[in-house]
Amino acid sequence: MQRFHLVCTAALAIVAPLAAVPAGAWAAAPAPSMQPPAVTVAAAPWPDGLSGSMLVATVAALEGDDAVAASAFRQAYGLDPSRPVLLRQAFLYSALAGDDAAAGLAARLPGQLMAELVMGNDAVRVGRWSDAKAHYDRVQQDAMLAAIRPLLDAWTLLGAGQPDRALAIIDPWTADRVLGRYYAVHAALIADLAGQHDRADRYYRLALDASPGRDLFSTWALGHWLIAQGHRAQATRLLDSLVAGGAGLSLARDGVLAAMDRPPVTSPRQGIAQAYAFLSALIGQEAERIPDPTGRLAHDAGVRDMRMLLLRFALALDPGFGQARLLLSALQYDGGQAAAARDTIVAQARDGGVAQAFPHDPLATVMQVQVARLDAATGRGDDAIRILTDLARAQPAQAQIWQTLGDIQSGREDWAGAAASFSRAITATGRLSGDDWEILFGRAVAYDRLARWPQAQADLEHALALAPNEALLLNYLGYSWVEHDRNLPQAEALLRHAVAVEPQNAAIRDSLGWALVRQGRIAEGLALLERAAEQTPEDPAVNYHLGVAYWKAGRPREAVNQWHVAQALPAADPSDVQKITAALADAARSGHEDPPPDQDGAARKKDPSDRD
């Protein structure tokens, strides 16, 4: 049974999806031109002083520290400007780090996709619209940019004071079968900013009729227009439809509703920033649909870096773009950059918190919750608890705040606090359904640790009713029954179901093998336990179970050897150490003739939340 890491820092969900589009919605375009080059050190001898910079740069790049990699590559390039690879790497990592030096380096890479975009963005920032369009035009044929090419052109032309040309470019795209709604929203905003309100109304109606409420940006824009038309109730319904379909969006609901009194975009810079964030999300959605030859999803570092670059572009143009900030933070965390992920959100919030730094951002509450999660992930547990306690006090009806607080309290082994927080989350949720099994599971683990097994079992059974095929629940309840020596046939059935759901999961195989051994089916259980130990040789509990199976099979020497292996491994749970030590002691006293001590004693029980 695997230990469940309750703190929700294992995978930061993107709680505000930009767009949900079906497969093939955008060009089946190759991604190579946006793929960052591999970080390699050439075999040729480096000039004096260069090797140190290259070592620092390479290690930093491999560790995901883009800021250090950028600085070191720039230093290396300064030492040897004759090497184009150093220029490209210095530019790439400067752009990934959001460093202003990227613009100066881009000027030395004319014609390269990312360099032209950076120069175009730099021109937009200072209002050099003709220069910006010239840079964007140089990458016009790149297939990866096909989805946002009309948006870059249209917003640039609006900045240059040519709204009619801007709308002429984007208008044909509003008929697109899949993304027409999204283009229509941009067209409406362009027309509104140009004072062409009748044309704007036509585009808003087109977007509303096409497929409303599928992403935050469009919902915000359409809600603002509906409110201006005197239809606030319809705007609220539109938002509630979005919230109902998006996990986590309930935290943003009140903020978005308040933000609808203003448009989401008030300048060409912001419009282009939205386009970059949209493309980043689109690339991520497409990558999720493309398996690699091993059957895993195509979430490689290259795709992540592409998405991060686009989000850096968005934030360079609109530093207050909270959604882009959250998306970038999530990608950084996914890449192992927890500290950078936290800094991405709190960089502008050092003097008063996220809410004060982004007072008008509809996602300010979401950002505060994410900061708390990242605080917990970076050793700032007290800060995380403080943020969430303050939020819960201010918004007691928000179940997600209570759930996150419970997660972090569980990570700190404050089981009483966690149980209380999960209970508040359940009360705030009301009728539980679907993914709410996670709240019940969190409380069940807390109850189990508090020796309140009847309540833990009730929560686990309720959670399984909501998610009958969730392997984690099947495994936890089945293993727990085995440890309590209750319902062993039912436990076996649950664990067999879990194995069917996740056939390669060694922890579940161990649980099933242990259940069979406890029922006296030694040979059958032994085979499963041996396979589990082969997969997870570093797990002391699995090795302990295998030792018991060997002993019961009449193979005491192998049992003792297995327990010695288990004893040499670091154990997360003190009860593991107690059981292994007791088994070895009893085996020594018995001269390998009698069975090990009673495995049902309370002091020997294996808590299934404690093993990886």
Side-chain angles (χ1 to χ4, degrees):
M1 173 70 199
Q2 280 186 312
R3 174 162 37 118
F4 178 66
H5 296 280
L6 286 163
V7 182
C8 284
T9 55
L12 291 179
I14 298 174
V15 298
L18 283 159
V21 296
W26 56 301
S33 62
M34 297 180 74
Q35 179 85 19
V39 181
T40 57
V41 180
W46 300 99
D48 291 342
L50 188 59
S51 58
S53 297
M54 283 301 303
L55 179 61
V56 171
T58 303
V59 171
L62 291 172
E63 292 181 348
D65 192 335
D66 297 328
V68 171
S71 177
F73 274 123
R74 289 198 301 269
Q75 184 179 37
Y77 174 62
L79 291 169
D80 187 5
S82 67
R83 295 178 185 261
V85 65
L86 296 181
L87 172 59
R88 291 194 298 270
Q89 298 287 32
F91 164 73
L92 169 67
Y93 285 97
S94 295
L96 279 170
D99 196 302
D100 290 341
L105 295 167
R108 305 176 191 183
L109 294 166
Q112 295 199 12
L113 170 65
M114 284 299 170
E116 293 293 349
L117 291 177
V118 166
M119 289 187 284
N121 299 340
D122 199 49
V124 166
R125 289 169 62 184
V126 295
R128 298 197 318 268
W129 300 105
S130 59
D131 289 347
K133 190 166 189 315
H135 288 298
Y136 293 153
D137 284 347
R138 293 194 183 102
V139 294
Q140 189 164 3
Q141 301 306 313
D142 188 88
M144 185 62 70
L145 290 178
I148 65 167
R149 277 295 323 168
L151 302 177
L152 295 178
D153 287 342
W155 282 109
T156 304
L157 286 167
L158 178 66
Q162 303 178 57
D164 291 334
R165 284 188 63 195
L167 291 171
I169 284 177
I170 202 171
D171 185 79
W173 292 83
T174 63
D176 184 86
R177 181 177 57 85
V178 175
L179 298 179
R181 165 196 52 82
Y182 185 76
Y183 294 121
V185 168
H186 276 270
L189 290 165
I190 289 171
D192 254 342
L193 287 173
Q196 300 182 18
H197 302 301
D198 289 342
R199 294 182 74 178
D201 289 348
R202 180 173 68 82
Y203 287 122
Y204 281 126
R205 290 191 184 93
L206 178 63
L208 193 62
D209 293 342
S211 182
R214 291 173 59 190
D215 65 273
L216 180 60
F217 169 70
S218 297
T219 299
W220 182 354
L222 290 170
H224 171 70
W225 174 69
L226 287 168
I227 290 172
Q229 302 295 310
H231 304 303
R232 185 175 291 273
Q234 186 179 355
T236 302
R237 289 194 298 272
L238 189 69
L239 173 59
D240 287 340
S241 175
L242 176 71
V243 170
L249 280 174
S250 61
L251 276 179
R253 192 259 185 194
D254 292 345
V256 176
L257 188 60
M260 282 181 173
D261 285 328
R262 66 184 192 279
V265 165
T266 58
S267 71
R269 283 177 57 170
Q270 290 180 316
I272 294 173
Q274 286 284 346
Y276 281 130
F278 174 72
L279 181 57
S280 177
L282 212 54
I283 291 171
Q285 290 177 1
E286 199 72 4
E288 289 178 355
R289 300 185 179 109
I290 305 172
D292 71 11
T294 68
R296 297 187 301 271
L297 296 178
H299 283 305
D300 62 18
V303 171
R304 184 172 60 247
D305 283 351
M306 279 187 272
R307 298 186 63 197
M308 289 171 61
L309 280 169
L310 292 166
L311 292 167
R312 284 293 189 191
F313 294 167
L315 289 170
L317 294 170
D318 183 6
F321 188 178
Q323 191 172 13
R325 201 167 287 280
L326 276 170
L327 290 166
L328 177 59
S329 176
L331 289 170
Q332 288 171 318
Y333 185 87
D334 184 54
Q337 304 176 50
R342 182 181 180 276
D343 287 345
T344 291
I345 299 179
V346 305
Q348 297 187 16
R350 301 191 189 283
D351 297 327
V354 174
Q356 286 73 31
F358 305 101
H360 303 298
D361 196 297
L363 300 180
T365 299
V366 180
M367 285 192 276
Q368 286 179 288
V369 171
Q370 293 294 62
V371 168
R373 289 171 172 160
L374 291 164
D375 277 343
T378 54
R380 299 176 175 88
D382 290 343
D383 291 340
I385 295 295
R386 177 185 53 77
I387 291 171
L388 292 168
T389 301
D390 290 347
L391 280 174
R393 187 179 298 114
Q395 303 180 53
Q398 283 288 357
Q400 191 174 346
I401 296 173
W402 288 111
Q403 182 180 357
T404 305
L405 179 58
D407 289 339
I408 293 174
Q409 288 168 322
S410 295
R412 292 160 64 90
E413 299 188 2
D414 175 9
W415 302 112
S421 294
F422 286 126
S423 293
R424 292 294 299 267
I426 290 168
T427 300
T429 301
R431 182 177 179 182
L432 301 178
S433 62
D435 288 342
D436 294 331
W437 70 264
E438 295 175 346
I439 310 176
L440 289 164
F441 181 77
R443 189 171 70 171
V445 173
Y447 280 154
D448 195 13
R449 286 301 191 96
L450 292 168
R452 296 168 62 181
W453 173 245
Q455 294 98 319
Q457 178 175 278
D459 276 352
L460 290 168
E461 291 175 338
H462 188 179
L464 268 176
L466 299 179
N469 296 314
E470 180 55 53
L472 180 65
L473 293 172
L474 294 163
N475 195 13
Y476 196 104
L477 181 56
Y479 185 88
S480 296
W481 274 342
V482 173
E483 288 296 279
H484 286 84
D485 197 26
R486 298 177 183 175
N487 307 324
L488 295 185
Q490 296 95 318
E492 180 186 340
L494 290 181
L495 293 170
R496 288 193 182 280
H497 187 179
V499 169
V501 173
E502 294 188 11
Q504 301 305 315
N505 190 312
I508 297 175
R509 183 176 291 112
D510 166 67
S511 296
L512 178 57
W514 186 232
L516 294 170
V517 168
R518 293 289 289 272
Q519 294 180 84
R521 292 151 65 185
I522 308 304
E524 190 179 355
L526 183 56
L528 288 166
L529 290 170
E530 285 178 330
R531 288 187 61 196
E534 289 174 0
Q535 286 183 266
T536 56
E538 74 288 348
D539 191 321
V542 173
N543 284 283
Y544 168 74
H545 291 160
L546 180 56
V548 174
Y550 280 143
W551 188 278
K552 289 180 178 291
R555 298 158 65 178
R557 184 177 298 277
E558 291 168 278
V560 171
N561 288 341
Q562 208 66 44
W563 289 329
H564 278 302
V565 170
Q567 190 178 48
L569 294 168
D573 185 356
S575 69
D576 282 344
V577 177
Q578 295 171 4
K579 286 186 290 188
I580 295 163
T581 301
L584 285 168
D586 281 10
R589 284 194 297 269
S590 71
H592 296 175
E593 294 177 1
D594 298 327
D598 178 13
Q599 305 307 315
D600 296 331
R604 310 276 176 81
K605 287 180 182 173
K606 174 65 192 167
D607 189 323
S609 70
D610 283 339
R611 288 195 286 106
D612 270 326

